[in-house]
Amino acid sequence: MTGQVEITAQNHGFCVDPDSLPSSDVEVTHLNLNDHTNEGLRHRTLPLFSVQYHPEASPGPHDSHYLFRQFTETMKNWKLSGALRRGQAKA
């Protein structure tokens, strides 16, 4: 956790129980300060992450750009690593 705070639009119809996840595979990345529910997670070895809020919503247009950059970089890296495994690209 970074210690940073984001103001987000919530949808608390459901949430992921962090105790239901294997801590060796998954880590919590975002925590709701009001009710302490899991707001985000990432897999430790696979290119998977998620947030449990609306990253495109208010308060501002740039608050969550880091999530979209992370997603785009993950796709690029995954594509490159697949090409490297198939011998189609150079490192």
Side-chain angles (χ1 to χ4, degrees):
M1 301 240 181
T2 65
Q4 295 179 336
V5 175
E6 295 177 65
I7 298 172
T8 61
Q10 303 293 316
N11 178 1
H12 271 76
F14 60 91
C15 67
V16 174
D17 179 0
D19 293 334
S20 71
L21 303 170
S23 62
S24 60
D25 294 332
V26 178
E27 75 172 313
V28 173
T29 59
H30 295 73
L31 184 68
N32 185 297
L33 296 178
N34 293 317
D35 61 10
H36 304 287
T37 55
N38 176 13
E39 292 288 334
L41 57 90
R42 78 173 182 90
H43 197 278
R44 295 181 189 275
T45 59
L46 297 174
L48 309 170
F49 72 94
S50 68
V51 292
Q52 181 64 36
Y53 58 87
H54 304 286
E56 75 286 355
S58 293
H62 306 294
D63 295 347
S64 60
H65 278 190
Y66 75 96
L67 292 169
F68 293 98
R69 281 192 300 275
Q70 181 180 351
F71 179 71
T72 303
E73 286 300 313
T74 299
M75 289 190 303
K76 288 177 185 175
N77 292 337
W78 187 252
K79 181 179 179 181
L80 177 60
S81 68
L84 288 171
R85 285 191 306 269
R86 294 186 302 274
Q88 298 173 339
K90 296 181 181 180

